Amino acid sequence: MKLKKLVSLLLIVTLMIVSLMACKKGGDTQKTSSTPTQEAAGEKTAETKEAATEADTTQEAATEAQTEATDTAGGKLQVPDKDITITLWDIATEDPANGIQQGAVDRFMKDHPNVKVKTTHIQNDTYKEKLIIAMSSGQCPDMYMHWGGGPMNEYIESGFAVPLTDLMNNYCEIDFLDAAIAQSSYKGDIYAVPYGGIGGSGIFYNKTIFSKLGLQVPATISELETVANTLKENDYIPFSLANQNKWTGSMYFMYLAARYGGVEEFNAAVDGTGSFESDAFQYAADTIQKWVKAGYFPDGVNSLNTDDGQDRGLMYTEEAAMMLHGSWQAASMKNDNADWYTQNIGYFAFPKLENSKADQSIVVGTSIGNGFSFNTGDDQDKLKAAFVLATQYYNDDTYNKAQLAAGTIPSINGMGDTIQDPCMQQIWKDFSSASNVQLWYDQYLPPAVSEAHQSTCQELFGLTMTPQEANKTLQDAMAKYLAE
């Protein structure tokens, strides 16, 4: 579309120049053949003014054409040729993510020495708090990552993200998944560039332990409980969980609620037509506490920290046999010990709930993984530079190959077809066949309600709130938000 517009503008310029040359030649001939009368002189003055106007129009068209040529050279947006500094925040504190993402920044700066990118890598949970503080104090970075959903919408409403629809439509050559673009959008405009990858969740398990005990991969929640009981009887912790971070434990709540009531009960609770005290959420809270009392989780589960890898650690020492977690854990385990990971770790989808009318193919996770939004205000040069970084370096072949090698599947059509890791093949299969993707509650819900959700989940695992108390607290937070 841009190329056609450029060709049209250049054609108009050429025709105008030819026309002006013809007018000038005819005027010179007339001038030498006779002495003009006053009327003729007036006509000549008008002609001169018209020619001047046409010349100005020609110059404007040429300038616009030159601008178009600069921006679309090679079919890609070009970085302005001036000194620019971009501040960038993300959560890539550990390898392989740190090396992959910093590598994209380094390649960009090597190709564009006039642009300096100041990166700050912050741990996941701390990041969310620091970003809010930075926004409230006027120190929001130019380019920052997020997970989409409710928080992204609030960043947009607060004025900390610029719309990217025109840039994405005209200068983005990446075939992102439709679901990824949808989760990057708000009220009809695109506000983020996806760059992480799909973030499904399911259960990693130790194949060696399962084989030793003669266990089969469970297809239903009843079968899962049978497996957990057998593991417990043989002195294994059924589920490795580090729930100091709160969101890790909430995966159980989300899946159990989805298996009972699908996405419909969650959507109804969020828009106010339903409630977080409904049967689906009651079932989820009741089941979590039943499993806690049965000893399915580590002692001191709420004091273990996933950012420190304490959940993976219980898998490595083979004290625990299963771990419900995000698909990114495949990359982390493979990076820690590739041989052990390959020999011991398998993966299965969260089991189905018998007799439930809800769609059992639902995956809890995200199609966007991560997205970059831009707090560049009216600075179009900085916006262009940041957009080039996000689309041409965070999503180029080098970046995508590194992502796949590390066990992360970019949110780009066709990427799943190249996967070699059996665990990631299953994750992609489950994700691709899912009727719906339930976005993580802590990303979908407004921040205040998200905090209530995570805190009440932690209370459930600590047995310090009853299921009824926990769900009422969550519902009260949702009702307060809707009322305001």
Side-chain angles (χ1 to χ4, degrees), residues 374-388:
F374 308 108
N375 177 49
T376 52
D378 295 329
D379 192 335
Q380 293 299 306
D381 291 333
K382 181 176 287 189
L383 175 60
K384 288 180 180 179
F387 187 81
V388 168

Side-chain angles (χ1 to χ4, degrees), residues 50 55 116 133 193 242 294 302 314 318 350 403 414 429 465 471:
E50 181 179 356
K116 183 175 183 180
I133 292 173
V193 177
N302 284 341
L314 291 173
E318 300 191 353
F350 196 90
Q403 287 281 80
K429 179 181 177 181
M465 265 189 180
N471 289 347

Side-chain angles (χ1 to χ4, degrees), residues 389-418:
L389 172 57
T391 54
Q392 297 178 27
Y393 290 83
Y394 272 84
N395 283 286
D396 65 1
D397 287 342
T398 300
Y399 181 86
N400 290 333
K401 287 177 181 177
Q403 287 281 80
L404 288 167
T408 300
I409 307 171
S411 304
I412 300 172
N413 284 304
M415 283 292 168
D417 301 335
T418 65

Side-chain angles (χ1 to χ4, degrees), residues 57 163 177 212 294 304 353 359 446 469 479:
T57 302
L177 297 173
K212 176 183 175 182
L304 301 178
L353 177 61
D359 190 326
E469 290 170 338

Side-chain angles (χ1 to χ4, degrees), residues 7-74:
V7 171
S8 298
L9 285 170
L10 290 175
L11 182 59
I12 290 170
V13 171
T14 302
L15 290 173
M16 284 184 171
I17 291 173
V18 171
S19 175
L20 285 172
M21 289 178 66
C23 288
K24 186 175 188 303
K25 186 175 180 181
D28 286 345
T29 302
Q30 186 179 29
K31 184 177 181 179
T32 55
S33 62
S34 62
T35 302
T37 62
Q38 186 175 2
E39 180 178 350
E43 291 175 354
K44 186 62 184 176
T45 301
E47 180 184 11
T48 303
K49 288 180 179 179
E50 181 179 356
T53 300
E54 289 182 339
D56 288 342
T57 302
T58 302
Q59 180 61 41
E60 289 174 5
T63 300
E64 183 177 352
Q66 184 178 8
T67 301
E68 291 284 345
T70 300
D71 282 350
T72 59

Side-chain angles (χ1 to χ4, degrees), residues 222-337:
S222 291
E223 291 176 4
L224 179 63
E225 291 177 336
T226 299
V227 166
N229 289 333
T230 301
L231 290 166
K232 182 69 178 172
E233 290 166 3
N234 287 274
D235 298 323
Y236 291 103
I237 301 168
F239 292 107
S240 179
L241 174 62
N243 200 36
Q244 182 184 105
N245 311 77
K246 302 179 182 178
W247 58 265
T248 43
S250 77
M251 291 186 190
Y252 290 87
F253 187 85
M254 290 184 285
Y255 257 121
L256 289 166
R259 290 293 182 258
Y260 188 99
V263 298
E264 291 79 11
E265 288 209 41
F266 174 76
N267 292 337
V270 171
D271 67 23
T273 59
S275 168
F276 281 111
E277 296 179 271
S278 71
D279 291 345
F281 304 109
Q282 185 66 39
Y283 167 76
D286 284 340
T287 303
I288 286 173
Q289 293 212 329
K290 180 177 76 170
W291 289 359
V292 171
K293 293 172 183 176
Y296 287 4
F297 302 100
D299 291 337
V301 63
N302 284 341
S303 64
L304 301 178
N305 192 324
T306 192
D307 286 338
D308 296 333
Q310 290 181 299
D311 38 17
R312 296 199 306 273
L314 291 173
M315 297 289 286
Y316 297 156
T317 58
E318 300 191 353
E319 295 174 74
M322 298 184 290
M323 180 175 68
L324 171 61
H325 222 301
S327 54
W328 57 85
Q329 287 294 338
S332 296
M333 288 188 283
K334 189 174 183 180
N335 186 65
D336 288 344
N337 191 327

